[in-house]
Amino acid sequence: MVAAGLTFSARLLRLLRRVSIAYFHDLLVSLCFIYNHLIPRTTHLFSSSTGPTADLTSIHIWTPLLHRRSKPSVVLIHGFGGDAKWQWRTQVGTLSRSFNLYIPDLIFFGNSRSDSTNRSVHFQAECIAQAMKQLGVKRYNVVGISYGGFVAYRMGSDVATEEVEKVVLLTSGVGVSEERIRELVQREGRDVRDILCPKNPEDLRLLVRRSMYRPPVWMPDFYLRDFIKAKYMDHRKERIELLEELLKNGAGVSPLPVLSQETLLLWGDHDQVFPVDFGHDLHRHLGKNSSLEIIKDAGHALQLEQPCQVNCRIQHFLLPPPHIK
């Protein structure tokens, strides 16, 4: 019996190596979005120039099947480690019941593309704001994690100030000084581009371990290779350029403005990418119009490790208080 079991396991592993598990996992996540009444759409944006030289930008965005006026609208902006579906898959089931969710892929992630050579955070923010305008959504809240938090901050500060009602930033190093950024990069002891844009299983394994307080125990090479092929090989050059721009210029505005919107900061207590003291610094910068909440037993990917806590705090912050009779 033991020998038969081992033989079956060996055959199963050989079969898994031939099949794209990442593709089927991606399909399941898509079905989860669809089950929660979200549909994929693509909006096409043009630069201010006209004619054949105009830059074309396409934003892929998951939108509600039916926009309900009775619900607040929320834009979920993902970080550097993946696309919209993979990073927000644990939020859609809960949050779609309370909000009209709009979940875009940032430029050069997922299915969003651009002919532009602009790699700034400001450009990402402008593209999301234009996409929301084309969709006819006049007022909305923004929730951004990590790199997506930089984009959300720019939307609230100057790109879509009138449209953005409230801001939620998850573990985002907005406002971190160049010196602190250099310290973080040097601490890794290797090129951070290889970690955030992995080309081999060991790089991706390191990224997962840096991002999670309790990373998965079983991360076989064949699955990681498949995931890299599916998620990291397309537009790798452009993503590296985005990363270099981020490391050089951060949010792209100095001094960092104070947001006029009420802002919630969520941080994992074991964050190894942007440590908790970064959250305290940002909280002090934003002042009394902001609040900082630390989530226990979570790292940088707190929305995946502690989804119930993250979802509950987002709902409590963004939803109007219950009517008191």
Side-chain angles (χ1 to χ4, degrees), residues 46-320:
F46 287 90
S47 68
S48 56
S49 60
T50 58
T53 61
D55 293 327
L56 172 63
T57 297
S58 299
I59 297 291
H60 179 270
I61 182 169
W62 289 85
T63 70
L65 180 63
L66 178 63
H67 181 101
R68 298 186 182 277
R69 294 184 179 180
S70 59
K71 291 182 178 182
S73 295
V74 175
V75 181
L76 300 178
I77 308 176
H78 67 84
F80 215 93
D83 58 22
K85 285 190 300 184
W86 282 80
Q87 291 207 356
W88 297 116
R89 63 188 185 274
T90 56
Q91 277 59 61
V92 293
T94 299
L95 297 186
S96 62
R97 294 195 290 268
S98 303
F99 305 105
N100 295 304
L101 292 184
Y102 293 85
I103 314 178
D105 287 323
L106 291 170
I107 304 298
F108 302 123
F109 294 86
N111 292 311
S112 292
R113 306 285 184 264
S114 180
D115 294 335
S116 174
T117 58
N118 193 330
R119 302 291 182 255
S120 68
V121 169
H122 183 267
F123 179 67
Q124 295 275 16
E126 277 191 326
C127 290
I128 301 303
Q130 286 184 42
M132 293 300 292
K133 188 174 183 179
Q134 281 200 20
L135 292 169
V137 185
K138 297 180 179 179
R139 297 282 286 170
Y140 48 86
N141 306 279
V142 289
V143 178
I145 183 168
S146 195
Y147 178 58
F150 285 76
V151 178
Y153 202 101
R154 287 303 302 267
M155 291 179 70
S157 66
D158 62 314
V159 172
T161 307
E162 298 300 320
E163 292 83 359
V164 173
E165 296 181 302
K166 291 183 178 181
V167 178
V168 181
L169 303 176
L170 283 70
T171 187
S172 185
V174 181
V176 177
S177 66
E178 291 183 20
E179 182 180 355
R180 296 293 299 275
I181 289 291
R182 284 196 299 269
E183 289 176 3
L184 289 174
V185 171
Q186 291 171 0
R187 186 189 66 184
E188 291 297 334
R190 57 174 302 177
D191 194 334
V192 294
R193 293 174 296 185
D194 291 334
I195 301 174
L196 291 172
C197 301
K199 292 188 295 184
N200 59 63
E202 192 51 44
D203 290 339
L204 181 52
R205 194 175 284 113
L206 179 58
L207 174 61
V208 173
R209 288 171 178 165
R210 280 283 185 272
S211 301
M212 305 188 78
Y213 173 52
R214 292 193 177 98
V217 176
W218 192 63
M219 291 186 284
D221 283 0
F222 72 87
Y223 175 71
L224 296 179
R225 288 193 194 96
D226 187 37
F227 191 83
I228 289 168
K229 183 179 179 181
K231 294 295 178 180
Y232 289 102
M233 297 312 293
D234 286 348
H235 298 284
R236 187 174 189 276
K237 173 180 175 293
E238 290 83 358
R239 291 193 197 184
I240 288 176
E241 292 169 354
L242 290 172
L243 178 58
E244 290 172 342
E245 168 68 22
L246 180 68
L247 293 175
K248 180 180 179 181
N249 295 314
V253 58
S254 183
L256 188 72
V258 175
L259 294 177
S260 60
Q261 298 90 348
E262 189 177 353
T263 304
L264 171 64
L265 308 177
L266 296 178
W267 233 271
D269 62 343
H270 292 277
D271 194 329
Q272 298 183 67
V273 178
F274 294 128
V276 176
D277 61 303
F278 287 21
H280 288 287
D281 290 343
L282 185 56
H283 180 33
R284 283 190 289 270
H285 175 77
L286 291 171
K288 61 182 180 180
N289 208 30
S290 68
S291 58
L292 170 65
E293 298 184 18
I294 309 298
I295 295 180
K296 293 184 177 180
D297 298 328
H300 192 64
L302 69 167
Q303 89 287 10
L304 300 178
E305 293 194 279
Q306 297 291 352
C308 292
Q309 287 201 49
V310 169
N311 296 343
C312 181
R313 294 177 195 222
I314 290 174
Q315 287 177 310
H316 185 267
F317 177 68
L318 295 181
L319 288 174

Side-chain angles (χ1 to χ4, degrees), residues 1-8:
M1 289 291 291
V2 174
L6 291 174
T7 301
F8 174 77

